[in-house]
Amino acid sequence: HRDLHSFPTRRSSDLQGNWDRAHAIARTNLAEARKVGANPTLRYLAINAGLDSYDPVDSASFAASTKELIAKARGMLVSDDAHANYPNVFVLLFGAYLASNAGDKDLAAATRDFAAGQVTATGYVNLRHMLTIVDASLLLQNNQAESAVDVLEKDIDGSELYLTHALLADALQKAGKDSAAVEQSNWLIANRGRAYVEVNIDQILQARNVAESDLALLRLAEIAAASGRVEEARQQLNRFETAWPGAHRPAFVQRRVDAVSKLLTSTRG
C-alpha cells in the first residue's frame, strides 16, 4: 500500500491543475485505506472531508461523512494516554471545524467541548491552534466576525497553522476589514511553500492549504472588484486564472470567478 503513504503529496500537486483528479485520488485512497485499518481510514476520511467541504454535492452525504470522521476519531481515543491521543484529537477538532463550516453548530460545539480537555492535557501547540480555529469558525457561524478576528489574531505567534491565516482572511473580509484581508491573502500567497510542507497530523490539511493558497489570489480579485478597482481586479483575476486554469476548476470556484467577471463587465474602468 505504498500509494497510501505517497497520496498527500501527489494529490496536492494534482490539485493545482485538476480538482476532479484530486478527488478521484482521494476516493481511491480512502477505499484502499478501509482495507488496511483504522488509522489510515481516519486519515483519508479527513482528507476527503476537507476537499468535499468546499462544495458538497450531497449535503446529507457530507454530513454523514463528517459524523463518521468525528465518531471514528472519538472511538480511537485512549482514555489514560493523553499524548497517544494527540493525532486523533487533531482529527476530531478538524471534524468540528468542518461541521461548523457546514452549519452544524451543535455537532461542532459538542465535539469542540469534548476535545478541549484533551488539548489541555497534551499541551501540543497544534491542538491549541486547531481549537482556536474551531472557536473562530463557530463565531463566524454566529455572525460574530469581529470576535473571530480577535480570537485568531491573538493566536498568531509564528507556530500557528496555515489554516489560521486562511480563516483570518475570511473573517477580516466578513468584518469589512478589506485592507487587512488583503494583507492576510498576500501572506497566504507568499507562504505557499508552507502550505505544502507544514507539519500537521499525517498532512491531512495539506490539500486544503494548497487550495487556500490559490483561492487567496481570487479573494484579492474579489476585494478589488467590490471596491471598484477594476484594473487591479483584472490583474488579480488573471493571476488566479493562470494558477488555476478554467478547464480544471470545480463549480464552487467557477461561480466565484463568474461573479467577479460579471462585476468587472458592469463596471467602467
Side-chain angles (χ1 to χ4, degrees):
H1 298 285
R2 64 181 183 277
D3 283 347
L4 285 178
H5 182 73
S6 65
F7 169 71
T9 300
R10 286 170 46 216
R11 199 236 314 116
S12 291
S13 297
D14 288 329
L15 184 64
Q16 290 177 263
N18 195 324
W19 185 268
D20 290 338
R21 176 165 166 73
H23 263 93
I25 294 174
R27 287 190 292 269
T28 297
N29 279 273
L30 176 57
E32 290 298 312
R34 290 188 187 279
K35 301 173 186 177
V36 176
N39 287 324
T41 297
L42 186 66
R43 177 189 192 189
Y44 292 108
L45 273 173
I47 291 170
N48 272 267
L51 289 175
D52 290 342
S53 67
Y54 280 104
D55 192 22
V57 175
D58 182 343
S59 58
S61 177
F62 175 69
S65 296
T66 304
K67 289 177 181 177
E68 181 186 6
L69 175 66
I70 290 171
K72 282 188 179 298
R74 284 190 66 160
M76 291 170 67
L77 296 177
V78 180
S79 61
D80 60 349
D81 193 341
H83 294 287
N85 286 335
Y86 164 51
N88 298 326
V89 175
F90 190 90
V91 175
L92 194 60
L93 287 168
F94 184 53
Y97 165 70
L98 296 178
S100 175
N101 281 358
D104 194 340
K105 295 186 287 186
D106 290 342
L107 177 60
T111 304
R112 178 255 181 236
D113 290 346
F114 175 83
Q118 294 280 342
V119 173
T120 302
T122 63
Y124 284 106
V125 67
N126 275 355
L127 292 184
R128 174 171 58 82
H129 293 316
M130 199 67 224
L131 181 64
T132 299
I133 286 168
V134 176
D135 288 342
S137 180
L138 284 167
L139 287 167
L140 286 174
Q141 286 295 322
N142 288 317
N143 299 312
Q144 299 178 55
E146 293 272 4
S147 296
V149 168
D150 185 55
V151 164
L152 290 166
E153 287 184 336
K154 288 179 179 177
D155 197 49
I156 293 177
D157 61 5
S159 69
E160 72 280 354
L161 295 166
Y162 192 87
L163 184 57
T164 303
H165 290 271
L167 188 59
L168 179 55
D170 184 43
L172 286 164
Q173 189 174 5
K174 289 178 178 175
K177 299 181 177 182
D178 285 352
S179 294
V182 165
E183 182 179 341
Q184 285 301 314
S185 297
N186 282 324
W187 186 96
L188 291 166
I189 296 163
N191 289 273
R192 182 178 174 84
R194 183 167 170 175
Y196 283 94
V197 303
E198 176 183 84
V199 176
N200 50 70
I201 298 305
D202 286 331
Q203 303 299 92
I204 65 169
L205 300 183
Q206 187 187 60
R208 194 176 187 90
N209 288 347
V210 174
E212 291 296 340
S213 72
D214 282 339
L215 291 173
L217 288 166
L218 182 54
R219 182 184 289 108
L220 292 178
E222 290 170 332
I223 291 173
S227 300
R229 301 192 302 274
V230 176
E231 187 55 36
E232 179 186 341
R234 286 178 178 147
Q235 291 174 359
Q236 297 293 4
L237 188 59
N238 286 338
R239 289 178 67 197
F240 173 75
E241 290 181 321
T242 298
W244 203 331
H248 302 303
R249 282 182 215 133
F252 80 94
V253 173
Q254 190 58 50
R255 287 194 296 270
R256 290 174 63 178
V257 170
D258 291 344
V260 174
S261 298
K262 183 177 180 180
L263 187 57
L264 292 178
T265 300
S266 65
T267 305
R268 295 180 181 273

